[in-house]
Amino acid sequence: MTTARHRQAFFDALAEATAASERAGRSLALLLVDIRRFREINATYGYEVGDELLERFGERLRGVLREADQLTRIGGDQFAVTLPAIMNSGHAVLAATKLVECLEELFLIDGMHVKAQPTIGVALYPDHARTPTALLQRAEAALFHAKSGRTAYAIYDSGQGVSSVKIEHELHQAIENGDLTLYCQPQVDLRSGRVSGVESLVRWQHPADGLVLPDHFIPVAEDSGLIIPLTLWTLNAALRHCAEHKPAGGGWSMAVNFSARCLYYPGVAELVERAMKIWDTAPGTLTVEVTESAMMADPEQSLRTLEELDALGVAVAIDDFGTGYSSLACLKRLPVKELKIDKSFIMGMVHDADDATIARSTIDLAHNFGLVVTAEGVENRETLDALTAMGCDYAQGYYVSWPLPAADVPRWLRESPWGRFAQSAGSPDTTEAP
Ligand code: C2E
Ligand code: CA
Ligand code: CA
């Protein structure tokens, strides 16, 4: 399994476990377990010992967990433990203590005695977070707290570093004060080598922390409902940008990300229509990107909203395709035009035969369903060439351009070979590309 699939499988299991705990009226605990100074262990004893240690470390943890508890290795030296249906945080503390104790005994590997001490961050659902993504973030915050305090474990509390309540409050103000900034990432048509449009990506200009990336605040916005004003802000900023920089010849697309909550927000299509009227947006300009899991959460309501958007001349793209389990046959019943292959399959596809196969078969399948395909996460020329050979329609990624402040896009278009080669066929000689 690829790393992306591991992570997705873990997320899916976590979503199921939180739903089951919810039904049982209980809490669920997520424990993130890191091996302290694992790099040093690798450097001291060698990678083979390190690999063996990871195996044995996992086995030890498994040995003290209950059958219903889940153990997954989610990163290099990081494990996630989920304890379903617990009564209170006391149970999570007990489990964390047991895990620490079971690791006191040294590991004997290749005749060497190796000590592997854990650091554990604990967060509870629904006490600390109401979505799997937010829960993972809280557990990470707790883990960070434990590491910096050099304690064996820590339970999340809102005073640790960035509390979600604090983020929520500040984000609310940022939306009101206009402290959000629109970034745009160009997309290119692989047949013509010409820029075909941009995706809008929001950033937060924080007074103390500087430019904050969306992964740090979108989950909080989704949890708190702030995602609606935030998305309306992005939508307006994006359409305004189109109105002010209408490229000669037109035919450009501007994509905006919609969370599940936006898709199910009553009257969302009217809000989009109003924004399009204000900025005089031509039909066919705006694309809304929605993930497959958001669409499939309530297929009937999705169908209604997406049909309303379709009637406005708004195209719909399936974002992050490949990270969920929905079938394209199901998704195709919705009025979608485009599929975006998730970057986790694209970034390593020139070295990973499985990822390349996934990319190729997704492109073929999408074409059979009459969809156009964009690959995201294109980081080098080899990937771009491989995708072109596979018949992929559009590409987006650092190789073409990093996300740019929207105000810099016109200059980028004038200076970049992707912009300058707008009229000629074939991809530009990207020795010149950024
Ligand atoms: P996404 O929609 O999948 O956006 C693509 C993300 O991939 C962006 O991260 C972009 O910077 C990154 N990326 C682009 N090219 C490459 C590449 O070649 N390699 C790698 N490794 N990454 C690449 P960003 O801007 O941090 O956005 C993260 C996520 O935040 C987005 O993922 C999207 O889900 C969400 N997001 C961003 N802006 C908005 C918004 O206005 N509204 C909503 N609801 N979500 C947003
Ligand atoms: Ca997107
Ligand atoms: Ca995406």
Side-chain angles (χ1 to χ4, degrees):
M1 246 198 314
T2 61
T3 328
R5 299 234 139 189
H6 264 292
R7 226 180 309 123
Q8 189 59 42
F10 163 70
F11 254 111
D12 290 344
L14 187 60
E16 253 174 53
T18 51
S21 291
E22 180 102 52
R23 284 195 296 276
R26 300 280 189 88
S27 293
L28 169 141
L30 172 64
L31 284 68
L32 287 184
V33 186
D34 253 19
I35 305 179
R36 224 180 272 184
R37 295 201 303 271
F38 183 68
R39 274 192 196 184
E40 266 173 54
I41 296 175
N42 258 341
T44 312
Y45 300 98
Y47 287 101
E48 276 167 19
V49 171
D51 285 348
E52 175 72 18
L53 177 66
L54 283 168
E55 285 269 313
R56 305 260 298 271
F57 188 91
E59 282 165 16
R60 273 250 190 117
L61 297 181
R62 181 75 263 167
V64 295
L65 295 171
R66 300 171 305 175
E67 209 171 312
D69 302 338
Q70 294 272 352
L71 173 75
T72 321
R73 189 172 152 204
I74 58 168
D77 64 333
Q78 194 171 79
F79 295 79
V81 176
T82 42
L83 313 173
I86 60 165
M87 295 298 283
N88 52 48
S89 60
H91 285 105
V93 171
L94 202 65
T97 316
K98 270 204 289 183
L99 295 180
V100 175
E101 281 172 2
C102 85
L103 293 161
E104 272 167 10
E105 192 183 322
L106 303 186
F107 289 88
L108 180 60
I109 301 173
D110 280 352
M112 287 175 278
H113 287 94
V114 186
K115 184 153 185 73
Q117 288 176 299
T119 312
I120 305 175
V122 186
L124 300 187
Y125 171 93
D127 317 53
H128 300 139
R130 295 207 56 89
T131 64
T133 317
L135 185 66
L136 187 60
Q137 282 193 337
R138 307 295 184 268
E140 276 168 355
L143 181 64
F144 182 75
H145 190 73
K147 279 184 182 168
S148 45
R150 297 185 189 282
T151 56
Y153 64 85
I155 297 199
Y156 177 79
D157 94 83
S158 50
Q160 281 162 8
V162 273
S163 104
S164 64
V165 179
K166 182 164 165 258
I167 296 183
E168 196 182 313
H169 174 70
E170 291 184 348
L171 184 59
H172 184 91
Q173 289 192 317
I175 298 170
E176 302 235 302
N177 301 344
D179 289 340
L180 299 177
T181 309
L182 183 72
Y183 272 57
C184 291
Q185 188 176 34
Q187 300 166 330
V188 293
D189 182 328
L190 288 174
R191 262 179 306 269
S192 65
R194 156 190 186 146
V195 177
S196 54
V198 294
E199 175 177 2
S200 57
L201 296 161
V202 69
R203 269 94 180 97
W204 174 8
Q205 194 63 55
H206 190 279
D209 300 342
L211 202 65
V212 186
L213 291 176
D215 285 343
H216 291 277
F217 59 87
I218 295 285
V220 177
E222 286 174 340
D223 253 12
S224 63
L226 281 175
I227 192 70
I228 304 295
L230 182 142
T231 304
L232 288 175
W233 183 91
T234 311
L235 177 71
N236 272 287
L239 296 185
R240 178 187 177 159
H241 180 82
C242 289
E244 289 173 353
H245 302 277
K246 254 189 199 125
W252 263 49
S253 69
M254 169 58 87
V256 173
N257 290 285
F258 267 37
S259 301
R261 227 165 149 155
C262 303
L263 199 59
Y264 302 121
Y265 188 70
V268 63
E270 278 127 79
L271 294 170
V272 172
E273 187 177 18
R274 204 180 304 162
M276 287 173 67
K277 277 212 178 103
I278 294 174
W279 301 110
D280 193 20
T281 310
T285 305
L286 178 63
T287 298
V288 162
E289 296 190 1
V290 190
T291 63
E292 43 181 326
S293 53
M295 287 184 194
M296 297 321 281
D298 182 349
E300 283 184 10
Q301 181 60 39
S302 293
L303 180 64
R304 276 194 292 276
T305 307
L306 298 184
E307 275 178 345
E308 285 169 6
L309 292 174
D310 190 49
L312 297 173
V314 176
V316 177
I318 310 168
D319 204 358
D320 301 347
F321 187 80
T323 59
Y325 289 114
S326 32
S327 83
L328 203 47
C330 273
L331 291 165
K332 194 48 194 120
R333 285 197 212 115
L334 301 167
V336 292
K337 291 211 167 62
E338 179 186 343
L339 180 153
K340 295 187 82 175
I341 308 179
D342 189 64
K343 56 180 173 287
S344 58
F345 301 106
I346 304 297
M347 278 153 55
M349 63 175 266
V350 284
H351 303 295
D352 186 320
D354 286 347
D355 284 349
T357 306
I358 291 170
R360 176 177 289 114
S361 45
T362 306
I363 292 166
D364 291 345
L365 193 65
H367 283 165
N368 289 338
F369 278 109
L371 300 174
V372 296
V373 186
T374 301
E376 50 174 41
V378 178
E379 297 188 343
N380 50 52
R381 177 80 200 213
E382 293 86 326
T383 308
L384 188 104
D385 289 344
L387 287 162
T388 308
M390 288 175 185
C392 184
D393 303 286
Y394 300 100
Q396 177 181 350
Y398 297 158
Y399 181 63
V400 175
S401 169
W402 290 72
L404 308 162
D408 292 352
V409 171
R411 184 165 48 97
W412 181 84
L413 281 173
R414 282 194 305 277
E415 291 173 4
S416 149
W418 301 100
R420 275 192 277 128
F421 276 68
Q423 300 311 323
S424 67
S427 61
D429 171 9
T430 37
T431 44
E432 276 187 78

